[in-house]
Amino acid sequence: MSTSLDEEDRRAGACRETSAPHRPGRRPGRRATRLLTAALGLWTAFLAAFHALTGRYWWWRPMELLPPLAFAVVPLLLLGLVPLARGARPRLAAAALCCVLLGLPLVGLNLHALPGLGGGSAVPAGAVRVFSWNTEYWSDGDDPKAFYAFLKAQRADVYLLQEHVSWDLAGHRPVRSDHVDELRAHFPGFQVAAVGEMLTLSRYPIEDWRGLDSWPHLPAGGAGMPPDDSFPDYYRYKVLRTDLRIDGRVASFYNVHVPVQLDISMNPASAQFTAFMRAQEDRRKATYRALAADLDDNPLPVVVAGDLNATAAMGELRVLGSRLRDALPACDDLLPASWPASGPSLWRLDWAFTSASVKVHTYRMVDSEGLSDHRAQALTVTLPGG
């Protein structure tokens, strides 16, 4: 009798040992399903909020600094985790794919770079070579000879240069800079237009030029006025329009530098950080309004290029892109990026647009050889009738 009982105990133990591994095996599957469902829900909510809020509110600006590639990478990672879930794989896979599709327009992929879909074209004789670059406070801290040698090596017809200014690190303020005579010495025969931090250098005759005043476009009672009177034009003029006569035709070249959203050197928990962000928001919107107002009254062919401090994900660029054409289809890079210049560039902050009548043949980002934190833009264009 005791032998029979012992055998029954051994069988029961064997059954417990056999079935024991299944219990913890089911829990991770259910846990993975819950975690993945929560992650997809949070990401979907973030995407919805991003689409609704981008380009509209100053307090959303930090969210817009996310590398645009993340809008594809995050849902693809979640899609890769779907096999770990149990019981809801089809639904979770469908949700992850929807997130991928919702995020792709924000990434800034250049599908024209794919074989057979476009990219650069042959450059005809007489095309205009344009070079746009944020110089990072001109040649401050750099070898001036190397700086001017880099500019000359681009062999451009028109240079749209930003940050023709020095910077007082201790006082955290811009300092007026004047290198016009130096430029004329290095580029004989070129003409120069400069205002504030904006400078345009042209091989073609300058018919007319003016800085676009952003101050009339600031909101009443806003915080976008300069903090002091030391260099007001730095804050006032962020767009320089130069009308050039090129082979008997006149075209407008807009040199643009939209103010940055925030200052990462400031303490995010401080009142100074918040005040600066609100002031920058006013300045950014005023810059775009000044540009839009001038474009509305300009019947000439147009090229707009510069540091817009914006990515493909930001709503404000959709407005600009709806009235002008991005130069991107003439680029051979699948994911062009301009910042930071050192290391992997993850953000395209520098942009070039043209009116529909202007043909863009090539468009590319140029290594700045350690002279700036921005890569430069180089494009070749043909004006209508050319």
Side-chain angles (χ1 to χ4, degrees), residues 26-268:
R26 286 193 298 269
R27 291 194 192 100
R30 290 197 298 268
R31 189 180 303 115
T33 301
R34 290 195 298 269
L35 290 174
L36 194 53
T37 300
L40 282 167
L42 288 172
W43 185 252
T44 302
F46 173 73
L47 277 178
F50 196 99
H51 279 284
L53 301 175
T54 180
R56 300 181 62 188
Y57 302 103
W58 65 268
W59 44 266
W60 187 254
R61 289 300 186 183
M63 298 295 102
E64 296 181 341
L65 302 184
L66 187 72
L69 193 59
F71 290 102
V73 171
V74 170
L76 285 173
L77 286 175
L78 294 175
L79 180 62
L81 295 175
V82 166
L84 299 178
R86 287 193 175 191
R89 289 174 184 168
R91 292 194 297 273
L92 291 173
L97 283 172
C98 286
C99 287
V100 172
L101 295 176
L102 285 172
L104 276 179
L106 305 176
V107 174
L109 288 174
N110 177 26
L111 298 182
H112 298 275
L114 296 175
L117 294 183
S121 60
V123 180
V128 181
R129 295 165 295 185
V130 183
F131 185 76
S132 174
W133 185 37
N134 180 329
T135 63
E136 193 182 12
Y137 307 123
W138 209 245
S139 58
D140 282 9
D142 298 320
D143 178 1
K145 291 184 179 179
F147 178 82
Y148 287 111
F150 173 74
L151 284 179
K152 292 181 73 173
Q154 308 313 314
R155 301 172 58 85
D157 301 307
V158 181
Y159 292 83
L160 307 176
L161 306 175
Q162 303 95 51
E163 292 195 6
H164 176 231
V165 66
S166 292
W167 194 260
D168 177 6
L169 291 175
H172 197 76
R173 63 186 181 88
V175 177
R176 192 183 302 273
S177 184
D178 184 359
H179 298 88
V180 172
D181 289 340
E182 290 179 14
L183 277 168
R184 287 179 174 145
H186 284 282
F187 292 86
F190 277 68
Q191 297 187 15
V192 182
V195 63
E197 59 148 312
M198 316 301 296
L199 187 145
T200 296
L201 181 68
S202 171
R203 183 174 68 84
Y204 303 107
I206 296 178
E207 290 281 297
D208 190 18
W209 70 271
R210 63 177 176 273
L212 305 189
D213 191 350
S214 63
W215 286 4
H217 301 277
L218 289 170
M225 296 299 285
D228 55 48
D229 296 327
S230 60
F231 189 10
D233 285 357
Y234 173 83
Y235 300 90
R236 187 168 193 164
Y237 301 107
K238 292 297 184 181
V239 182
L240 172 58
R241 171 182 167 176
T242 309
D243 294 346
L244 306 179
R245 180 164 293 278
I246 302 173
D247 298 330
R249 295 152 292 161
V250 179
S252 296
F253 289 77
Y254 290 85
N255 184 0
V256 185
H257 188 190
V258 178
V260 69
Q261 293 89 336
L262 50 83
D263 187 343
I264 59 175
S265 70
M266 294 180 179
N267 178 6

Side-chain angles (χ1 to χ4, degrees), residues 336-341 345 347-350 365 373-377:
S338 63
W339 192 89
S345 297
W347 290 265
R348 182 191 178 194
L349 301 183
D350 301 82
M365 299 296 175
D373 60 338
H374 284 253
R375 299 175 74 193
Q377 301 178 94

